[in-house]
Amino acid sequence: IFWPRGDSPQDDPTSPGTAETTNTATTVPPDPVASICGLEPGDQAIPTQAPEGATWTLHGTFAAPSIEGVGPGITADDGLTHCFAQSPTGALLAAINYAAMGQVDPLSSVDPRLVADTPEREALADEYASEPPTPTEGGTVQVVGFTLEEQSTGDIAVTLGIRVSDTGTMFSLTYTMRWESGDWKLVMPPGGDITPTPIEGSVDSAGLIPWAGA
């Protein structure tokens, strides 16, 4: 699942973007709270091209990236991946990995290792405790692009472009990522829903930076 309360299909991965990362605008400075897995903050610029050096790993049928020094730095015994560098690129990887974890276990959408401590998270966790979510059937999906935007709060909005393989339909989802307790975590929106926005035309024409896994 790509948004906590919604239904989502899955997709076979495609070829990764290999363009060199060129970073320009400087964004949030490192938070005093150190990374829980010892990762250095690294480059604090918003990426304007697909990050290079990524290795893509399948979670179910969904591919998520890892980059040395950026994360994920922890793979838990239950397979959940987390701990990313406190940088915009770290927030990007954290958002994609959050989506990937939802493909494996819908309950990860309220896991404290992935989701910020907010009343919205607790409310949805209580709901899931009485009626656990189940994986949804449907076509497969894959990330095809992204954009990032720093917010005034210091959070980073990560917009992911998603393609549905059996129809070719594309849509975008925007995750708000917050540095909390030494890692990037999703901020659950009011009501627990992250609404998909249809993408017409190409990834480029939608203002997204192309990037996909293999």
Side-chain angles (χ1 to χ4, degrees), residues 38-192:
L39 291 174
E40 294 296 324
D43 190 353
Q44 295 300 303
I46 296 287
T48 58
Q49 296 188 42
E52 64 177 3
T55 299
W56 294 78
T57 301
L58 285 174
H59 300 277
T61 60
F62 184 82
S66 62
I67 298 176
E68 185 175 357
V70 181
I74 295 175
T75 299
D77 291 342
D78 60 3
L80 185 143
T81 57
H82 65 115
C83 188
F84 295 87
Q86 190 187 358
S87 66
T89 302
L92 169 62
L93 267 62
I96 300 175
N97 274 265
Y98 170 85
M101 293 302 98
Q103 296 294 293
V104 177
D105 180 6
L107 283 173
S108 68
S109 63
V110 293
D111 194 304
R113 292 170 292 180
L114 302 179
V115 185
D117 184 7
T118 63
E120 288 79 10
R121 186 193 74 185
E122 294 310 305
L124 190 56
D126 290 343
E127 179 180 323
Y128 284 176
S130 60
E131 187 176 350
T134 57
T136 57
E137 299 295 331
T140 55
V141 298
Q142 172 62 16
V143 169
V144 292
F146 71 91
T147 59
L148 276 72
E149 181 180 358
E150 180 190 355
Q151 300 181 330
S152 60
T153 58
D155 298 339
I156 293 182
V158 179
T159 298
L160 301 179
I162 307 292
R163 177 184 286 120
V164 182
S165 63
D166 57 351
T167 64
T169 302
M170 293 191 293
F171 59 91
S172 66
L173 298 166
T174 298
Y175 298 112
T176 298
M177 307 302 295
R178 174 173 298 164
W179 186 258
E180 178 183 281
S181 302
D183 199 3
W184 286 108
K185 299 185 180 183
L186 176 98
V187 179
M188 190 76 66

